[in-house]
Amino acid sequence: MAVLSVATLLCLALSCQFFPVNCVIPLSSLIRIHNGLAEHVLTNSSSDPVSEQCLHALGDLFNDTTKLIPIVDSLGKVGAGILDGNTAWLGSFELCRNMTAMQYCYTQLYAVIPMGKKNTILPIEWGLCIVDECSSQDVANGMQLFINATLGFGKLIVDRGSVFCAQDPPKPYSAGFYFTVFLCCLLATLMLIGWCVDIFLRISARIKAGQPLITKTEVYNEDSNDDYTRLQDTPVVHFAALSQDTNFIQEFFLCFAFNRNIARVLDTSQPEKAIRCLHGLRVISMTWVILGHTFLWHMLVPMDNLATGSKVAQELTFQAISNAFFSVDTFFFLSGLLVVYLAMDTLEKTGGRLPWFKFYFHRYWRLTPTVAMAILVWMFILPWVGQGPMWFKMLPKPYCEKYWWSTLLYINNFYPDSLTEECLGWTWYLSNDWQFYVISPIILIPLYRSRKVGFIILSCILTASFIVTGTLIGVYDLNIIALGDTPDSLETGPNFTNSVYIKPYCRIAPYLVGMAMGYVLQRLRSKKLKVTVSPMVAAIGWCLATIVALSCVYGLYSTAHGHVLSTAENVIYGTFSRFAWSLTLSWVVFACRYGIGGAVEDFLSHSFWIPLSRLTFCAYLLHPMILDILVFAFATPLHFTINILSFHFVGVTVMSYGAALLLSMSVEYPCGNLEKLLERHLTCCRGKTQDTGSIQN
């Protein structure tokens, strides 16, 4: 049977450790083994699980044994360091792909090893070189049939759903691919046209004014009164001053002008009321997110020293990486702070009335086009930018095809039920942040009208969050260590990630603390109160904040050395750690705002952070894709060290911000500009209508 031809290739891989000429079993003997196994299977099986074309192709291959030498050379072979976790034998992807009519197939098996009264499951990843005519199902069937015939049932199990054969192109060119490419070209064209229109208008204005065409300095006259846009965790989207002759079409193209938008990114000016340290906090938190994800993504690919890597992860200094999850709470805190700090000005100008449509539409429009573009890139561009033994394992994205709409509606932290089924799994944060924003007026308006009532409502919501979080952790006995959730546990039964980590009612505490802090800062600013803090109080505040922050980040150090948290410990830490972390952030912001931050204030408030701060949103959306391109294109198992992790982290950070700049310039900034353009023209139209009505009356 041709299935046994695949099995014989496995024998070749096991017997040829370095090069085919050093095979322990001669090729002639392997052919006899192949024929003997075929006779055995023919007498014990009534069906052939291999397709007809695969049958003929494998038969032709074994008729000429000289063809087997390069094939065997490319097969994955058992290497040294199995006890250190080297169970990934990937072979040579490039050598196999360079051979005519051959394809590389990535396979995953599970070895059942008796360990006392229990069995231990050892995952094995194997790279095979098979003829093109054989499908992934043919490979899976052939491997399992050989294993059953030689080792017996249950000794080694083939994961039939984890057999991936490389294709060229990696995926068929679909309508979605062509649409995404067209959209990218269209956006690039609009950016170029906008640039040309801007140059044309400036030259025309100088000619009319009788000014020279070339000056030493170009100065943009930006509207700096829109503090809400300027202070939000969004880019500045103000228009440069335009001449009276500018029409709507020209202004439309100027929305996409690359030179104007890049100038706004690099602008380091800030309004007087800005909380300058927020830019530094935002960029550092985004960098922390990338660092944590770099480590997590490295855990998704094979390592040749998994045991050694696990020991490194147990070190005290590594806790700052394994507990990088607090960086997300920093963003929740900042978002809540800015909502109150900025919206209070609007409420004061309108007498307590909130412009509801603008309040919600601005937020949704500011996020959604950029998220939609990220989904298109994830689904239709990313598959064609890399290749490797594990690349085709990463390609299937069935959940985006099913649940993309839940991501754009910001309900993907509830539907689908599991984080592993979300379209862009990391966008659960956006859903939480949007849901917090939607309910923020419940606290915001009472805070404006009555401080006491507002803080009572805030405290009630905070208490309810504590109760729900503690109850979920206690009733389901959840392990609050997010890294403790395996892919299997994420798909079945209650777990910390799906039940607590991504749910808004469990994550709202930092947002509420941020809202409270935003109210305090806004009232102190609006009443022009001079805040003075004694050196003793400042020192105590910094000491307490440092102790609490270190306790949050390093408090689980004992769990890395075998300590199992009790239910009470899980409940206490899982319920209050994020709240405690946000309290330390409150002190940092307060201290930096009122001149008791010292070196911390100087560092966080430096203008260097401002351009990077405007790119954090797009960097957040794109950095997991950069990590996919990096780790899933490895041709060999990763050798984990802190040095390698550090170099990968720096590279991913730089490339993420570079990609973020392109996404911001092509989608995020133009959409913000279009919103302001339409708002400005609608305001003008309403003004003209009112003037006409007055004349008629």
Side-chain angles (χ1 to χ4, degrees):
M1 290 177 62
V3 174
L4 274 302
S5 300
V6 181
T8 306
L9 289 179
L10 301 184
C11 289
L12 285 168
L14 289 172
S15 62
C16 305
Q17 290 297 312
F18 300 103
F19 195 73
V21 296
N22 295 326
C23 287
V24 177
I25 305 176
L27 290 176
S28 58
S29 300
L30 282 169
I31 297 299
R32 289 195 296 271
I33 292 174
H34 170 266
N35 295 334
L37 286 172
E39 182 179 355
H40 167 79
V41 174
L42 284 172
T43 58
N44 292 278
S45 177
S46 58
S47 62
D48 188 350
V50 175
S51 60
E52 190 69 24
Q53 60 269 26
C54 179
L55 176 69
H56 290 298
L58 285 172
D60 294 340
L61 179 66
F62 274 81
N63 287 333
D64 185 0
T65 57
T66 58
K67 296 181 180 179
L68 296 178
I69 293 178
I71 296 175
V72 173
D73 189 26
S74 66
L75 292 174
K77 303 172 182 65
V78 180
I82 293 180
L83 297 179
D84 199 20
N86 184 19
T87 58
W89 314 318
L90 301 180
S92 176
F93 176 81
E94 292 82 3
L95 181 59
C96 181
R97 292 293 300 275
N98 290 335
M99 284 187 279
T100 305
M102 302 299 293
Q103 63 176 338
Y104 181 93
C105 292
Y106 167 91
T107 65
Q108 189 163 330
L109 307 91
Y110 297 98
V112 181
I113 303 175
M115 299 288 289
K117 296 182 180 180
K118 296 182 179 180
N119 291 332
T120 299
I121 305 299
L122 180 66
I124 298 174
E125 295 168 273
W126 209 334
L128 301 176
C129 194
I130 305 296
V131 291
D132 283 336
E133 287 79 1
C134 294
S135 66
S136 58
Q137 193 62 41
D138 292 332
V139 176
N141 289 342
M143 292 179 67
Q144 192 64 67
L145 193 59
F146 166 68
I147 291 167
N148 294 340
T150 55
L151 301 179
F153 289 91
K155 301 294 185 181
L156 199 61
I157 303 170
V158 179
D159 185 354
R160 297 177 184 270
S162 296
V163 177
F164 301 95
C165 294
Q167 303 174 10
D168 192 13
K171 289 180 66 176
Y173 294 112
S174 62
F177 169 80
Y178 290 112
F179 171 77
T180 305
V181 172
F182 168 77
L183 182 60
C184 292
C185 295
L186 176 62
L187 292 173
T189 303
L190 289 173
M191 292 165 64
L192 181 60
I193 293 176
W195 193 344
C196 295
V197 169
D198 181 63
I199 295 174
F200 170 77
L201 290 176
R202 285 190 280 118
I203 292 177
S204 299
R206 287 173 182 166
I207 292 176
K208 290 181 179 180
Q211 297 176 352
L213 296 182
I214 300 177
T215 59
K216 293 183 179 180
T217 306
E218 293 283 351
V219 179
Y220 285 109
N221 180 21
E222 294 189 358
D223 173 17
S224 59
N225 295 322
D226 190 354
D227 300 314
Y228 181 80
T229 304
R230 186 178 285 276
L231 284 174
Q232 271 283 40
D233 51 338
T234 66
V236 183
V237 291
H238 310 293
F239 284 97
L242 300 172
S243 66
Q244 298 296 326
D245 297 333
T246 306
N247 56 45
F248 181 84
I249 300 298
Q250 291 173 330
E251 293 183 20
F252 170 81
F253 286 118
L254 288 175
C255 292
F256 294 86
F258 179 81
N259 61 322
R260 295 163 63 90
N261 290 331
I262 194 69
R264 294 172 185 128
V265 172
L266 300 178
D267 179 23
T268 58
S269 61
Q270 298 184 80
E272 183 179 353
K273 66 177 68 174
I275 307 174
R276 300 176 185 275
C277 66
L278 299 190
H279 293 291
L281 280 175
R282 186 178 294 119
V283 176
I284 292 173
S285 298
M286 187 67 249
T287 306
W288 200 8
V289 169
I290 296 176
L291 176 60
H293 282 170
T294 301
F295 171 67
L296 287 178
W297 257 250
H298 280 64
M299 299 295 291
L300 299 176
V301 295
M303 295 183 185
D304 62 9
N305 62 335
L306 182 60
T308 301
S310 301
K311 291 179 181 178
V312 173
Q314 295 174 358
E315 297 177 0
L316 178 63
T317 53
F318 201 83
Q319 296 300 300
I321 299 177
S322 58
N323 287 323
F325 306 101
F326 286 107
S327 57
V328 180
D329 298 289
T330 302
F331 280 105
F332 285 142
F333 169 82
L334 295 176
S335 184
L337 185 153
L338 288 171
V339 164
V340 174
Y341 186 78
L342 300 169
M344 279 294 178
D345 289 340
T346 302
L347 291 174
E348 289 180 353
K349 293 176 182 177
T350 60
R353 294 188 303 272
L354 196 66
W356 295 101
F357 177 79
K358 183 178 180 180
F359 183 78
Y360 288 117
F361 176 78
H362 170 78
R363 185 72 169 186
Y364 188 81
W365 179 253
R366 171 241 178 304
L367 298 175
T368 308
T370 312
V371 175
M373 190 65 191
I375 292 176
L376 291 175
V377 172
W378 171 250
M379 292 180 64
F380 302 115
I381 299 298
L382 194 68
W384 286 272
V385 297
Q387 61 178 352
M390 294 162 291
W391 184 256
F392 298 86
K393 178 182 179 182
M394 180 273 299
L395 287 185
K397 295 178 173 58
Y399 302 119
C400 264
E401 298 174 0
K402 294 174 59 177
Y403 302 121
W404 59 268
W405 56 270
S406 68
T407 301
L408 297 181
L409 292 178
Y410 305 109
I411 59 173
N412 57 323
N413 55 338
F414 286 103
Y415 187 83
D417 297 331
S418 175
L419 181 66
T420 58
E421 295 180 356
E422 292 184 17
C423 178
L424 300 181
W426 55 97
T427 56
W428 66 268
Y429 159 79
L430 286 180
S431 296
N432 278 265
D433 189 68
W434 168 255
Q435 290 154 14
F436 298 157
Y437 188 83
V438 168
I439 67 171
S440 63
I442 298 175
I443 301 171
L444 183 61
I445 296 177
L447 269 178
Y448 172 77
R449 296 178 178 176
S450 172
R451 179 179 59 189
K452 184 177 180 180
V453 174
F455 273 97
I456 288 175
I457 295 174
L458 188 150
S459 300
C460 290
I461 297 175
L462 181 62
T463 303
S465 175
F466 289 156
I467 294 173
V468 171
T469 304
T471 301
L472 287 172
I473 295 174
V475 170
Y476 293 110
D477 195 21
L478 301 179
N479 183 0
I480 54 91
I481 304 176
L483 288 177
D485 288 337
T486 63
D488 292 335
S489 66
L490 288 175
E491 297 176 358
T492 58
N495 56 76
F496 179 74
T497 300
N498 292 328
S499 301
V500 175
Y501 187 75
I502 65 174
K503 292 298 186 284
Y505 41 77
C506 297
R507 300 303 301 267
I508 198 173
Y511 194 89
L512 295 174
V513 175
M515 294 185 75
M517 192 63 202
Y519 178 83
V520 171
L521 295 177
Q522 198 277 338
R523 284 310 182 198
L524 291 175
R525 178 181 62 83
S526 62
K527 294 181 179 181
K528 298 181 179 179
L529 297 177
K530 185 177 181 180
V531 179
T532 57
V533 180
S534 66
M536 180 63 69
V537 173
I540 293 174
W542 278 110
C543 288
L544 290 177
T546 302
I547 292 171
V548 173
L550 292 177
S551 299
C552 292
V553 176
Y554 295 95
L556 297 178
Y557 174 63
S558 61
T559 61
H561 296 272
H563 174 69
V564 179
L565 297 178
S566 65
T567 301
E569 290 173 324
N570 275 312
V571 169
I572 294 173
Y573 187 89
T575 303
F576 299 108
S577 61
R578 304 182 191 284
F579 171 72
W581 176 260
S582 59
L583 292 179
T584 66
L585 295 174
S586 297
W587 170 258
V588 172
V589 173
F590 178 83
C592 293
R593 178 65 170 171
Y594 293 104
I596 55 175
V600 175
E601 177 185 354
D602 294 338
F603 180 69
L604 294 178
S605 302
H606 198 281
S607 59
F608 164 79
W609 302 112
I610 299 175
L612 294 176
S613 176
R614 293 177 180 142
L615 298 175
T616 51
F617 173 54
C618 290
Y620 156 76
L621 286 176
L622 295 179
H623 80 273
M625 303 184 196
I626 304 296
L627 283 168
D628 277 349
I629 296 173
L630 171 67
V631 301
F632 287 106
F634 286 153
T636 58
L638 171 70
H639 186 80
F640 181 83
T641 66
I642 290 295
N643 288 343
I644 290 177
L645 180 66
S646 301
F647 279 105
H648 287 167
F649 158 65
V650 173
V652 169
T653 302
V654 172
M655 294 190 68
S656 296
Y657 272 95
L661 180 63
L662 294 178
L663 183 59
S664 295
M665 295 298 95
S666 60
V667 180
E668 186 182 17
Y669 272 63
C671 287
N673 292 338
L674 287 172
E675 179 191 1
K676 293 188 69 66
L677 174 63
L678 293 175
E679 181 183 355
R680 193 153 56 89
H681 277 268
L682 289 175
T683 302
C684 292
C685 291
R686 286 197 298 266
K688 291 180 180 179
T689 302
Q690 292 174 359
D691 293 340
T692 303
S694 301
I695 293 173
Q696 291 175 349
N697 292 333

